[in-house]
Amino acid sequence: MDRIGVIGGGQLGRMFAIDAKRMGYHVVTLDPQEHSPSGQVSDEQIVAPYEDKAAIEELGRKTDIVTYEFENIDIASVKYLEDHGFKVSPNSSVLRITQDRTLEKRFVRECGIPTADFEEIVHSSDVAGAAMSVGFPAILKTARGGYDGKGQWRARTLDEAKGAFAASKGARLIFEKMIPFVRELSVIATRNAKDEVVTYPVVENVHESGILAMSIAPARVSEDVANRARTMATTIGRKLGIVGTYCVEYFLTAKDEVLVNEIAPRPHNSGHYTIDVTQCSQYEQHVRAICNLPLSPPRLFANAIMMNILGEGTGDHLDGVDDLLSDPSIELHMYGKKHAVARRKMGHFTMVLNGPADENAIKRAHAAHKKLRWTTAVPQ
Ligand SMILES: Nc1ncnc2c1ncn2[C@@H]1O[C@H](COP(=O)(O)OP(=O)(O)O)[C@@H](O)[C@H]1O
Ligand SMILES: [Mg+2]
């Protein structure tokens, strides 16, 4: 097995392709956008929509195994590969569950793992019943297609919830209880076909307007909480039967309850730190899993803070990089996206720490982040 196909050409595909290339693989990306972040570092990019069957077939023919870097792809494309004798990991039953919040939450509960209370809403007449059983404040999310806080509405009253349903234009929704969490956590894990599972240390995540802003590795939580989160991730990976790297997101409550928020069947933004401070990154681990190679037990060389660099809509040139990199503890990762549209994930940096990932380190990371600014000016 020495050729890998990736459906999706974003930054996750790019970082995956970089590790796959380092390990000697031939990488083909499928993405509708020419010169995509992943396409730039692949041997080849097929430029076509993800649901284009001829393109999917071509991707299958040109590679030995196909994977995907985000879950909002057409499941028919993955099924097509399976039905035509091409290998694809994770498989379509994993994708079916993880691309639908209702199926995903029911699945997590069937694993005996708690989530926020929720009800499915299909018709407007379901809103009142869901509100009665779940209560307020609530968050309504489209069952499918949402990411980075998109397709979500917060509601404190029945009127607001009805307004959210109207705004969703008839999309199937989940009506979910707002959790007054003390921390958001995630665990990156990888499972291979031999049912081996490795989990990385628990990470603490800070979101701003539904988008990840910062990850702190390791999370500032008790050993008991960390162990429970890692065990839940292992259980979920095994029950799903996933082959590849995945991420489980959690809410930690004041009573130390660990609730699962969602599962991503792919490498995850909160695992970028593994590139810089672990022996085997989440991306290499994914290569290993889908190519039937042994997994590498995660070893953390240093604590780290990862901060996302989002576009601001104020220009496409990133100013302040020289200043940022005057701090040798910082590793910069940019994704090769041309336009720094507001809120778009353009890159990230990892601050590799000598000491603990504490308040002081977080302050330093924020100060480093403030050095960056998107401008229209072209540097001399
Ligand atoms: N039930 C909830 N209670 C409190 N905050 C929530 C809840 N659901 C989502 N959020 C907030 O919104 C963010 C994005 O929601 P999430 O369900 O993870 O969707 P996405 O697919 O966009 O990442 C979460 O990381 C969290 O900060
Ligand atoms: Mg999320």
Side-chain angles (χ1 to χ4, degrees):
M1 211 180 287
D2 49 28
R3 301 170 306 165
I4 305 176
V6 188
I7 305 174
Q11 63 271 13
L12 297 167
R14 178 186 179 94
M15 289 178 268
F16 168 77
I18 288 172
D19 269 9
K21 290 302 301 168
R22 175 176 52 77
M23 295 168 82
Y25 290 90
H26 178 89
V27 180
V28 183
T29 291
L30 169 67
D31 194 272
Q33 194 76 47
E34 224 172 312
H35 209 58
S36 65
S38 175
Q40 291 166 26
V41 299
S42 299
D43 293 277
E44 187 187 341
Q45 179 178 334
I46 300 168
V47 181
Y50 311 121
E51 60 280 358
D52 179 331
K53 292 297 176 304
I56 289 285
E57 165 100 28
E58 184 185 348
L59 184 68
R61 283 193 192 288
K62 286 183 164 167
T63 58
D64 305 305
I65 176 91
V66 175
T67 187
Y68 42 89
E69 57 118 44
F70 74 132
E71 58 274 36
N72 294 324
I73 55 170
D74 189 354
I75 196 161
S77 297
V78 172
K79 283 220 176 91
Y80 182 90
L81 289 167
E82 289 172 346
D83 292 346
H84 291 78
F86 300 111
K87 290 203 183 81
V88 51
S89 267
N91 66 23
S92 61
S93 58
V94 170
L95 183 62
R96 189 180 72 87
I97 293 171
T98 53
Q99 72 175 194
D100 186 304
R101 293 187 196 276
T102 306
L103 296 182
E104 181 175 273
K105 283 204 159 55
R106 284 184 188 146
F107 164 81
V108 170
R109 293 207 163 185
E110 280 161 19
C111 293
I113 293 173
T115 67
D117 285 343
F118 72 98
E119 288 285 343
E120 186 174 44
I121 302 178
V122 181
H123 306 290
S124 62
S125 54
D126 298 336
V127 179
M132 280 283 269
S133 86
V134 175
F136 290 102
I139 179 160
L140 288 83
K141 304 178 183 175
T142 54
R144 301 171 64 111
Y147 65 97
D148 285 346
K150 293 187 177 119
Q152 300 193 359
W153 299 266
R154 295 177 183 215
R156 285 158 300 175
T157 62
L158 186 56
D159 275 349
E160 285 181 1
K162 284 180 175 161
F165 183 80
S168 77
K169 300 193 180 85
R172 197 157 49 82
L173 298 182
I174 62 162
F175 185 111
E176 186 178 315
K177 182 97 176 164
M178 275 297 272
I179 303 297
F181 55 78
V182 291
R183 296 219 193 292
E184 284 194 84
L185 308 174
S186 63
V187 172
I188 304 291
T190 308
R191 178 180 175 275
N192 67 13
K194 292 182 202 125
D195 202 29
E196 292 166 350
V197 182
V198 294
T199 61
Y200 285 87
V202 181
V203 165
E204 181 180 333
N205 299 316
V206 180
H207 292 85
E208 282 164 17
S209 311
I211 303 186
L212 185 65
M214 176 167 68
S215 292
I216 304 159
R220 297 164 297 167
V221 295
S222 68
E223 221 177 293
D224 169 58
V225 165
N227 287 338
R228 276 190 282 145
R230 288 175 88 160
T231 303
M232 287 178 191
T234 301
T235 304
I236 284 171
R238 291 219 156 104
K239 290 242 160 112
L240 259 184
I242 189 168
V243 171
T245 290
Y246 59 100
C247 175
V248 184
E249 293 179 35
Y250 306 90
F251 299 125
L252 177 67
T253 71
K255 289 186 202 147
D256 261 5
E257 292 163 302
V258 178
L259 308 176
V260 167
N261 174 29
E262 62 171 350
I263 307 165
R266 49 166 173 80
H268 191 260
N269 194 164
S270 67
H272 290 347
Y273 81 95
T274 62
I275 297 173
D276 302 299
V277 296
T278 71
Q279 183 178 335
C280 176
S281 77
Q282 62 168 348
Y283 304 100
E284 175 177 342
Q285 210 83 258
H286 188 64
V287 174
R288 288 171 176 245
I290 66 174
C291 294
N292 276 325
L293 296 169
L295 302 181
S296 171
R299 280 212 295 146
L300 194 65
F301 294 141
N303 299 333
I305 294 178
M306 187 283 313
M307 293 202 78
N308 271 342
I309 301 169
L310 302 185
E312 290 165 353
T314 52
D316 300 333
H317 170 71
L318 186 60
D319 238 7
V321 170
D322 45 359
D323 195 9
L324 180 79
L325 296 183
S326 66
D327 177 346
S329 72
I330 287 185
E331 292 291 328
L332 180 64
H333 302 254
M334 297 303 294
Y335 307 149
K337 297 181 185 176
K338 269 217 181 86
H339 298 298
V341 175
R343 316 295 292 153
R344 188 176 194 197
K345 288 174 176 169
M346 299 298 293
H348 73 269
F349 67 79
T350 305
M351 181 175 267
V352 179
L353 303 171
N354 275 324
D358 58 8
E359 269 320 315
N360 207 25
I362 292 168
K363 264 194 208 134
R364 275 180 50 219
H366 278 296
H369 195 264
K370 283 213 180 77
K371 294 175 176 178
L372 299 172
R373 198 166 316 103
W374 291 99
T375 68
T376 50
V378 177
Q380 290 304 305

